[in-house]
Amino acid sequence: MGRAARVLLTGVRGKTGDPLARLLSAREDVEVWGGSSDPTTVTVPGVRPTAFSWDEPDGWRAATEGVDALYLVRPDRADAPELVSSLLEATAPATRVVLLSEQDANHTGPDGWAPRVERAVRASGRDWTILRPSWFMQVFTDPRFYGGRLAESGELPYSSGGRSVAWIDTGDIAAVAERALLEEGHTGQVHEITGPEALSLPRTAALLADALGAPVAHRETTVEDELAGTDGFERELTRVTFERVHAGSFATVTDTVARVTGRPARGLAEFLAGADLA
């Protein structure tokens, strides 16, 4: 029997990194390295804490040494295309790369930023797969977004432009990533990943209300409202994101989760039933 496949996850403590680490660590044929700028915070059982920081390129070769597959969470910063290109240069040529990008990443964005990150992966000479997920369902449980505020305010402020969103559970993204990292047949593939249905924001609010057992109403905001408190690159990225919401970019529904994993994507109602919204 050959050695276990070694997989490095950048952003191991993130919304997709954590469920992916748990999936991989449960397998006997995988050795999981969890990349973090503070390895002491990596606590998933069976995951080896690994020093990895986008601000410390001198440590990249050590972090990627002997790695068979790399789960690459795109850093949302202006220099991401250059950083990704440099990181891949530091990895062994045989390393399989799975990039976490975003749905409809062909948009131009700030200076063509999103497609430039993807091009850096495509041009790396490594076997690659790109994941393009829709908006995460976890925004409803994360206190940095809507977590906790929904019950307090009774409203869901969101600039939809009247369009729907095919919310996706990050656990389903992780399940697709697991297969792309370890199985054949994903090289050169772009996986657009969504939930099973596109929901209007009023319908989304109604499902949140059902889960909370308290009223929740969608309040339509403007793109300028969403930009409040942001500046620089973050401001431009936020603007482009909500312009794409208004264009219907996140309303597309795909069968990727079912096709890749053999089971259907989890719907928002099912996710909320087991979520902590308080």
Side-chain angles (χ1 to χ4, degrees), residues 176-200:
V176 173
E178 176 191 16
R179 287 158 177 77
L181 287 162
L182 300 173
E183 297 177 357
E184 299 301 323
H186 299 279
T187 298
Q189 298 294 308
V190 177
H191 290 319
E192 300 269 353
I193 309 173
T194 77
E197 58 183 336
L199 299 171
S200 69

Side-chain angles (χ1 to χ4, degrees), residues 3 6 64 66-70 88-98 124-128 181 184 187:
R3 71 170 179 85
R6 182 176 297 172
T64 60
V67 166
D68 300 294
L70 170 66
L88 296 183
E89 288 177 0
T91 67
T95 304
R96 177 179 295 182
V97 180
V98 175
S124 68
R126 278 73 180 160
D127 286 349
W128 57 265
L181 287 162
E184 299 301 323
T187 298

